[in-house]
Amino acid sequence: MEFQSPRHLARRTLKNSSKLKSEYPHSLQLYSVPPSETIGLQELEDWAVERLKVLRAVERVNLSKNTKFSDDWKNALKNDLQKQNIDSWYKLSSSIKDEKMDEIISKTRQKDHVSHFLLRLAYCRTEESRRWFISQETDLFRFRFSMENSEDIRIFMKENKMNFQPIPDEEKKKILTKLIHAMSFNASKIDTVEYYKVPFTEALDLVRHRKVYLQAGYAYVPNDELVSIITAMFRSHLSLAMALTIRSLPELEDDHRIRRLLNDFDKRYTGQDFNALQNKFSGAAITPEMLDGLSKQSYPLCMRHLHETLRSTHHLKHGGRIQYGLFIKGIGLSLENSLKFWREEFSKNMDIDKFEKQYAYTIRHNYGKEGKRVNYSPHSCIKIINASVGPGENHGCPFKHFDAALLRQKMTTNRVPQPAIQEIVDLVTRHHYQIACQRYFEATHNTEVDSGIQHPNQYFIESQKILNGEVKEKPKGAHKVQTIRATLPAKVEKPDPTDENHEILSESVLAAIDMDDDFT
């Protein structure tokens, strides 16, 4: 892949529609061959950011109450992508024959191909990043696979040398009764279903869930269940590819352009911009006098902790001042009112002259009135979670940076029910910090939130909408926030079943270990 700076964009060569169509004949890809075309850096970055939004949408839907890959799950993902205006990422089917759409689809397939390899570079650096990327990419692949018709699936399998052949009718008739028993089908329906005979080691997920008939070391797989086998192959292929990518990363990073592009890409915030001072409720501007009440009603735990610490100690260290200062700016506190708020609090420990000399500059700087005059945005959950928090500092994410005893104490003080506290602590133990924050929101507002919590200012706005009756409440209790069990890693010994995020290089070994649990 070659990269061009923006000043060379005018000279770059663009592939025409027919060439793109020949290079990307199918909506599904195993991403075996890296892209080789010339692409502008800005376009490359835009494509990568779009794909990151798609993968994060997959993650959000996975953490909803919907059963994974059910119709509700698929519709929720489609709706999420449509809201972000990136629904073209799943409208890639070869069955769409419209000429104008055909050109858009070919371009999106190219975008899909190129952006996958860029994110592969960005997410290959740490084991945690690799696990996350592999998990979301695999789910996206399976989602797209489920939207293909039988003919397109056959073409995809043939192009990728997946030699699964349907069994002859004679063989099918011999074991028809057993197939009916295994699949709970009636005879009239089973006659229309194609079966594939594959080694059982390639269908262990189906064996584990008793969805296939086994005989002489082979599994008889109906065509509707081929997705499980092909998805496992995709995941194994991607796991191996990620291991190879990390080896070539040092050479690629010699190019300062790609190094700048990839730097902290996995931590990039892709949600709504809360920089503008437009998040006012009931038409009234936010004033310092309102912050105490708002902190108890609508602040996420991280900001409530900062506010209460400031009120009790009349001081916050630099990290806390930046995190909280940008948050209250984002909810609508003006520069004048912000200076007034901080001045009144800090002056309880120091004279006003010292405040003006040492602290007022930073507040004006946050609002773009000093220094480079950049209008800084409030910190997202990702940035807060990844913050470094030293001794005596109060910023960061309580769900990550508090110990369990302090977290329980805080939530008890904030009148969170004990069952919810235990559930939140369990989520924290498994490093699901944003889901824990979502559960905290649901427990303190007695409602469910389907979109997840991605930003403290989003938390505030959603809370205000509920308190002001702008959205209809969804009483909690019918469903709980659920985490999705990921495939465990392939090891000789059986891993801890509570650890959800393990990369795999061999699906078959792991599944064979796991099968004992299902048949006891």
Side-chain angles (χ1 to χ4, degrees):
M1 191 189 316
E2 297 179 18
F3 306 97
Q4 282 190 338
S5 59
R7 65 177 179 273
H8 293 139
L9 282 177
R11 299 202 304 269
R12 67 188 174 95
T13 57
L14 291 177
K15 299 182 182 236
N16 58 42
S17 177
S18 60
K19 191 172 183 181
L20 282 176
K21 187 174 181 179
S22 65
E23 291 201 4
Y24 302 103
H26 205 279
S27 59
L28 297 174
Q29 300 184 52
L30 292 182
Y31 309 104
S32 301
V33 181
S36 58
E37 53 264 47
T38 301
I39 303 169
L41 278 174
Q42 187 57 55
E43 189 170 33
L44 187 71
E45 183 173 2
D46 291 343
W47 290 358
V49 169
E50 273 196 30
R51 189 181 198 90
L52 184 57
K53 290 180 179 180
V54 173
L55 297 184
R56 286 179 175 169
V58 172
E59 181 185 36
R60 281 194 298 275
V61 175
N62 279 343
L63 300 174
S64 69
K65 63 181 179 293
N66 298 314
T67 303
K68 206 168 181 181
F69 306 120
S70 65
D71 289 341
D72 289 340
W73 183 93
K74 293 173 186 177
N75 290 332
L77 180 55
K78 290 178 183 179
N79 292 336
D80 195 316
L81 297 178
Q82 287 170 356
K83 287 178 183 177
Q84 300 182 71
N85 198 29
I86 50 176
D87 52 327
S88 61
W89 283 80
Y90 71 82
K91 295 179 178 179
L92 304 177
S93 176
S94 304
S95 60
I96 301 176
K97 302 300 183 184
D98 182 83
E99 186 174 339
K100 186 176 180 181
M101 280 300 297
D102 201 46
E103 183 177 348
I104 296 173
I105 288 170
S106 296
K107 184 68 175 176
T108 306
R109 289 177 182 176
Q110 180 196 26
K111 186 192 303 185
D112 171 52
H113 182 225
V114 173
S115 63
H116 170 87
F117 278 89
L118 186 64
L119 262 65
R120 188 186 286 186
L121 290 173
Y123 278 87
C124 71
R125 299 161 186 266
T126 67
E127 183 181 354
E128 182 179 1
S129 295
R130 289 193 296 272
R131 287 198 303 261
W132 184 88
F133 180 72
I134 291 169
S135 179
Q136 312 316 319
E137 283 283 346
T138 303
D139 289 348
L140 177 61
F141 175 86
R142 182 160 182 161
F143 167 66
R144 287 173 168 172
F145 189 96
S146 68
M147 300 181 69
E148 298 295 315
N149 58 42
S150 299
E151 182 60 29
D152 286 339
I153 290 174
R154 281 197 189 91
I155 294 172
F156 170 76
M157 290 166 57
K158 183 177 179 181
E159 288 176 351
N160 291 278
K161 298 179 173 58
M162 298 177 183
N163 299 316
F164 299 130
Q165 298 297 329
I167 62 175
D169 289 339
E170 295 77 11
E171 184 176 359
K172 184 177 179 181
K173 289 178 181 178
K174 289 180 181 179
I175 57 173
L176 185 62
T177 304
K178 295 176 180 178
L179 292 178
I180 294 173
H181 178 74
M183 301 300 299
S184 299
F185 284 158
N186 56 52
S188 60
K189 185 174 182 181
I190 207 168
D191 286 340
T192 64
V193 177
E194 284 189 335
Y195 276 84
Y196 295 81
K197 184 178 178 180
V198 301
F200 87 96
T201 53
E202 296 183 18
L204 287 172
D205 184 60
L206 298 175
V207 174
R208 183 164 54 240
H209 293 94
R210 300 177 174 86
K211 290 187 175 182
V212 291
Y213 169 63
L214 291 178
Q215 179 176 289
Y218 287 92
Y220 289 81
V221 182
N223 55 352
D224 289 346
E225 297 294 348
L226 271 179
V227 60
S228 179
I229 298 175
I230 295 175
T231 300
M233 294 175 65
F234 174 86
R235 184 175 187 120
S236 295
H237 171 83
L238 183 55
S239 295
L240 179 59
M242 292 293 281
L244 297 174
T245 302
I246 190 65
R247 298 179 188 174
S248 60
L249 191 60
E251 181 181 349
L252 290 168
E253 287 191 331
D254 286 342
D255 188 327
H256 71 278
R257 297 169 298 173
I258 194 67
R259 185 173 63 249
R260 179 194 63 81
L261 190 61
L262 295 176
N263 188 37
D264 291 332
F265 193 88
D266 57 321
K267 299 179 178 65
R268 184 174 298 201
Y269 175 64
T270 56
Q272 180 182 347
D273 182 13
F274 295 95
N275 194 29
L277 300 182
Q278 58 186 9
N279 305 324
K280 302 169 184 176
F281 58 93
S282 302
I286 303 293
T287 64
E289 294 74 24
M290 301 165 67
L291 296 182
D292 285 337
L294 291 173
S295 69
K296 293 180 174 63
Q297 290 180 325
S298 299
Y299 276 22
L301 187 57
C302 56
M303 298 306 170
R304 182 169 180 176
H305 173 65
L306 286 170
H307 181 82
E308 290 174 349
T309 301
L310 177 61
R311 286 301 200 195
S312 61
T313 65
H314 316 299
H315 187 78
L316 286 175
K317 290 191 174 183
H318 179 75
R321 295 197 303 273
I322 295 296
Q323 181 175 312
Y324 187 49
L326 290 174
F327 170 78
I328 57 178
K329 169 195 171 186
I331 68 173
L333 194 68
S334 66
L335 173 57
E336 181 183 353
N337 279 327
S338 186
L339 284 167
K340 176 185 176 183
F341 169 69
W342 291 100
R343 185 186 298 114
E344 288 179 352
E345 206 57 52
F346 272 51
S347 62
K348 296 175 182 177
N349 278 345
M350 64 184 69
D351 58 51
I352 293 179
D353 288 341
K354 183 177 180 180
F355 171 83
E356 295 293 341
K357 290 178 181 178
Q358 296 186 15
Y359 300 101
Y361 176 90
T362 301
I363 298 168
R364 292 194 296 272
H365 189 269
N366 285 345
Y367 283 76
K369 303 301 181 182
E370 300 285 359
K372 295 181 180 179
R373 300 189 180 276
V374 175
N375 195 13
Y376 292 95
S377 298
H379 291 177
S380 67
C381 288
I382 293 175
K383 188 164 187 174
I384 291 171
I385 289 170
N386 288 291
S388 297
V389 181
E393 294 183 314
N394 294 282
H395 63 288
C397 174
F399 300 107
K400 179 180 180 181
H401 298 113
F402 283 8
D403 60 44
L406 179 57
L407 184 60
R408 285 179 182 275
Q409 178 187 339
K410 277 283 182 183
M411 290 192 289
T412 301
T413 302
N414 295 347
R415 299 182 179 180
V416 178
Q418 285 302 317
I421 291 177
Q422 185 58 50
E423 184 180 353
I424 291 168
V425 171
D426 289 343
L427 289 167
V428 169
T429 303
R430 289 177 283 166
H431 311 293
H432 295 307
Y433 308 119
Q434 286 177 254
I435 313 173
C437 188
Q438 176 182 338
R439 185 66 188 93
Y440 177 82
F441 181 99
E442 293 175 338
T444 54
H445 291 78
N446 196 34
T447 188
E448 289 187 348
V449 54
D450 295 330
S451 59
I453 300 298
Q454 311 296 325
H455 200 291
N457 291 78
Q458 175 209 356
Y459 184 110
F460 177 86
I461 292 172
E462 295 298 329
S463 172
Q464 285 294 303
K465 286 179 179 178
I466 291 172
L467 295 175
N468 293 320
E470 296 178 24
V471 296
K472 187 176 180 180
E473 291 189 11
K474 300 177 183 178
K476 67 183 184 67
H479 301 283
K480 291 185 178 180
V481 177
Q482 298 179 353
T483 55
I484 307 300
R485 180 179 181 270
T487 308
L488 298 171
K491 295 182 180 179
V492 175
E493 71 277 9
K494 186 172 181 179
D496 181 358
T498 62
D499 194 344
E500 299 183 273
N501 296 309
H502 281 282
E503 177 183 356
I504 64 166
L505 293 178
S506 172
E507 293 276 341
S508 58
V509 176
L510 191 282
I513 296 171
D514 229 12
M515 279 171 57
D516 291 339
D517 290 341
D518 292 308
F519 289 96
T520 55

